[in-house]
Amino acid sequence: MTGLGRRSSTFTRLLRYGFSDAAGAERLLGMPALAGVESDPVLLDALGATADPDLALGALVRLAEALPEAGRQELLGTLVTSKPLRDRLLGVLGASEALGDHLVRHPGDWQALVTFEAADLHPGVADFERGLAPRTEGLSPADSLRAAYRRCLLAIAARDVSGTVDVAQTAAELADLATATLRAALRIACEEHPDDDAACRLAVIGMGKCGGQELNYVSDVDVVFVAEARNGTDEADALRAATRLASRMMRVCSDVTPEGTIWPVDANLRPEGRNGPLVRTLSSHLAYYQRWAKTWEFQALLKARPVAGDLNLGQDYVDAVSPLVWQAAERDNFVTDVQQMRHRVIASIPAGHVDRELKLGPGGLRDVEFAVQLLQLVHGRSDATLRGTSTLGALSALAAGGYVGRADAASLDSAYRFLRSLEHRIQLYRLRRTHLMPEGEADLRRLGRSLGHRTEPVAELGKEWKRHAREVRRLHEKLFYRPLLDAVAQLEPGEIRLSPKAAGQRLEALGYADPAAALRHLEALASGVSRKAAIQRTLLPVLLGWFADSADPDAGLLNFHKVSDALGRTPWYLRLLRDEGAAAENLARVLSAGRLAPDLLLRAPEAVALLGDPGGLRPRGREALEQEVLAGVGRAESAEAAIVAARGVRRRELFRTAAADIIGAYGRTGNGAHATGEHGTGSRGHAETPGSDVSARVDAVGNAVSDVNAATLAGALRAAVRAEWGDTLPTRFAVIGMGRFGGREQGYGSDADVLFVHEPREGVSDEEAAKAAFAVAGEMRRLLQLPTTDPPLLVDADLRPEGRSGPIVRSLASYAAYYRRWSLVWESQALLRAEVVAGDADLGRRFIELVDPLRYPVEGLGEDAVREIRRLKARMESERLPRGADPTTHTKLGRGGLSDVEWTVQLLQMQHGWAEPGLRTTRTREALAAAQAAGLISTDDARILDEAWVLATSVRNAVMLVRGRAGDTFPVDPRESGAVARYLGYEPGHVGDMLDDYRRTTRRARAVVEELFYGA
């Protein structure tokens, strides 16, 4: 019983010390290797203070067992009497399994942790060089370096986990150790290849975190090599010699042996990346940077620092490229490159890792580093104090200069230090390169304890991480834009203001073409002490970021200024933007995506409320719209007032449709367009082939616009009838939709193609009925084109019998007589799209029954009719394409465009519609799918035609959204073409890829058309 009680007491005490496996810990403490100290409370207290007491105890036992008896007694004696050693050694053993393994393999290295001199607290490159210099007997020079590197790393980790240095000092020490290691590795290479050493001067330039003196425990060490010939050596021979030295130096660091490895040396930041030569001369580097480099390459050069080899040559390199770095923000493509870099931050993360990524994920380290580096590039050209290489140093300088708010800088500094500490401790455990938060309970517990969380380490760690990540994400955008407002608004006394010149530089770098005008808008919106101005100052930093994400930030800001002027005194407007999460972003997207949606909104700004309603962007359907329109018409006192009501509903619904379309398109950013990788190696940024999301948006726009136009025509018809005849017209009257209207495929700029049909009521003469029908049709067209603030709806009746030469309205009997005697094949083809859209439903139904035999002739078309359709199509291609238009990019009449696809589908409908019910539809895509299902067209050919039709329709919609007027060709203006590309899912700077993809898609479609339509 006494033994059991003792065991129970020891077991409980070990649990209290923090051991997870108290039974295992009790067993380890009883091992002979710890004889004499197994119950020492000082040792147990120290073990309990480590990140993982079980890990620390297990490694301590293994270390003691690896030492000879005298060495073991020295270790244990020093351990219980020297607190500095105890904190350092046990701290490392409890945080790093890998360094525990190193100590077991090299047990004498624990002595490296005994020293506690002032100089030992902050070693520099020279100290590390001395630490790496000794060669170990029995090991090759390279393996001696690997062992010495771990010994030095052990000391750094000890200072880190014991709290002697902070995370910034730890990162700097790791970079200094890397510098000393690169020098030692290069010396080994030179010793092995003395002739190569004599033939060249070779400098190693530290880049990335090594150059910035903020290295991780385990990270690729980024370098660039520059070399020159010496001693009269031919330049080509000198470069070959330098390449051999550089390659050997890299292998010394990255090779894996029984002594482990140091880290990979990554030279992919060099000109041309992996495709370029490993070593270049200084002049070759300069030639590349002056002609070919992209903005991300100058961003990388911010960290450039000579670290090894010929340091004079290295400094010459830095001095030569530095002016180019600070001119990068003046390059023509700077804004586009910056937008690409901003989009690629999280684009390459696997979906399952996004929530665990410390470096690349939202609210991660890259957010801070990118923001700081971009501000350095923008403002460092005129302020040399910003040209530091470390992230935290540069952030401090930005705050001191007023380029970043002091409070924001302090918050980011704190978050960055926490995230780097987290990253360090994760990597330290097994000395493996990773930026992912672990998922295991034991790993999270060790991590939380290593950062000081002892009560509930897992929960406390998760809470702190999320808090810092949220803060980084919140400040990431604000960091760019908040000081812009401070530049034009009233500041607290003592605050440093961003100068107008600096504010203009920043706006220009972020894509604003007229920074001076943008600053004026900001001043008008954010100045003053009113509640409105205060809310605007809160909203604008985020809105400016969303505007900058578009192809035309200036237009977004201008339109926001106009909307705010119109609604600024309305209590709900700013409250909506402030409190409704999606409303502000939706508004920013809509206002900066082109002219159409902002024009519609500015005509009735209260429609902005739709953007905050969860269901506000869903289309309402034809029946509901018609009821609303007819109710509005019924309340009006005149036909003119009635049509204002009907057109007001149409304007609102067009805005609803356009806003949903734009927001849906921007929601795809990063999916279709492939961002380049960290080292610039990626795909071209092209959009994926139109898929279900794009097709669904095209169909949604076609349905919504067709529905609202049908409801508007119904309202115009009711208004025209009421003005002259009251509730009943002397003749039944129906409106038949034709073309894209009948096919429910209308775009934003489509006219309403219609036929008017009437039938005299009982007891009404044909003459009276015809007179009334003509009057109604004319009045409808007049009302719909009245000049008002709402967009007109143009009614086109040119597809009627005899075209413009024929009467605008016919009776059903007249249509029957005409089609029986005179109908041409093109008229039968046009009737494939006929659908009742307004008026007397029964009359409309009988009209459709009348034309069905024409559009779906029994036994299909004869050979003469097929030849005539082909002749008409060929004539249209040669005569109707506008002069000067590019036939490869004209969406309607060009190669593989809408006309090609639609005529091919319509020919199949006329040939086989009599036998295949699925072909009896007014919709192109439905008919195409039916033809494929019936085996009339192969699956591949159907897919190719469908893709071309969807893409061409998307381009037409995009052109109307961007330019505010209809068009069948891509815009020439760079901003407009860029906006079309963004709508189609391309990253900034990929307009050329958009055109290439369009031509490729339509070229494939034309090949199918040649085979199916022309029989080629």
Side-chain angles (χ1 to χ4, degrees), residues 268-273 276-277 280-298 301 317 321 324 331 679-680:
N268 289 335
L269 289 176
R270 66 186 184 269
E272 299 180 75
R280 289 175 182 258
T281 62
L282 178 55
S283 60
S284 177
H285 276 283
L286 286 176
Y288 174 84
Y289 287 123
Q290 287 165 347
R291 293 193 61 188
W292 306 111
K294 295 182 173 60
T295 298
W296 72 264
E297 294 177 278
F298 293 110
L301 287 172
Y317 170 90
V321 300
L324 300 178
R331 291 157 52 94
H679 293 158

Side-chain angles (χ1 to χ4, degrees), residues 893-951:
L893 301 174
R895 178 196 68 190
L898 296 171
S899 175
D900 270 2
V901 176
E902 289 166 0
W903 280 60
T904 301
V905 172
Q906 289 162 13
L907 182 59
L908 290 171
Q909 287 180 281
M910 297 183 76
Q911 287 177 310
H912 303 282
W914 65 277
E916 292 292 339
L919 290 172
R920 298 172 206 160
T921 174
T922 61
R923 302 185 180 207
T924 302
R925 298 188 68 219
E926 280 188 8
L928 184 56
Q932 186 266 322
L936 302 174
I937 180 174
S938 71
T939 300
D940 286 345
D941 286 350
R943 177 183 53 79
I944 288 169
L945 293 181
D946 186 68
E947 287 174 358
W949 190 91
V950 168
L951 179 56

Side-chain angles (χ1 to χ4, degrees), residues 822-998:
W822 308 107
S823 176
L824 300 175
V825 68
W826 73 264
E827 292 175 303
S828 298
Q829 182 182 354
L831 288 168
L832 286 166
R833 301 292 204 109
E835 180 178 273
V836 184
V837 294
D840 190 298
D842 179 67
L843 176 59
R845 177 185 55 77
R846 286 186 282 127
F847 178 88
I848 298 300
E849 290 174 351
L850 169 68
V851 302
D852 270 351
L854 292 171
R855 53 185 183 175
Y856 309 124
V858 176
E859 301 299 333
L861 294 173
E863 290 186 8
D864 290 344
V866 172
R867 274 197 299 272
E868 176 63 10
I869 289 175
R870 289 171 174 165
R871 186 188 68 79
L872 288 171
K873 177 72 169 69
R875 179 181 171 189
M876 183 176 69
E877 289 177 11
S878 63
E879 295 179 3
R880 292 186 58 190
L881 190 70
R883 180 175 297 178
D886 184 350
T888 67
T889 57
H890 196 279
T891 59
K892 183 177 181 181
L893 301 174
R895 178 196 68 190
L898 296 171
S899 175
D900 270 2
V901 176
E902 289 166 0
W903 280 60
T904 301
V905 172
Q906 289 162 13
L907 182 59
L908 290 171
Q909 287 180 281
M910 297 183 76
Q911 287 177 310
H912 303 282
W914 65 277
E916 292 292 339
L919 290 172
R920 298 172 206 160
T921 174
T922 61
R923 302 185 180 207
T924 302
R925 298 188 68 219
E926 280 188 8
L928 184 56
Q932 186 266 322
L936 302 174
I937 180 174
S938 71
T939 300
D940 286 345
D941 286 350
R943 177 183 53 79
I944 288 169
L945 293 181
D946 186 68
E947 287 174 358
W949 190 91
V950 168
L951 179 56
T953 303
S954 297
V955 172
R956 291 181 104 201
N957 286 344
V959 169
M960 184 65 186
L961 286 169
V962 169
R963 304 184 69 190
R965 61 181 187 273
D968 292 314
T969 58
F970 288 89
V972 176
D973 178 82
R975 288 220 168 211
E976 291 180 347
S977 59
V980 169
R982 293 302 305 278
Y983 172 87
L984 294 176
Y986 291 81
E987 292 286 1
H990 288 281
V991 170
D993 294 335
M994 170 184 69
L995 295 173
D996 289 346
D997 290 345
Y998 181 86

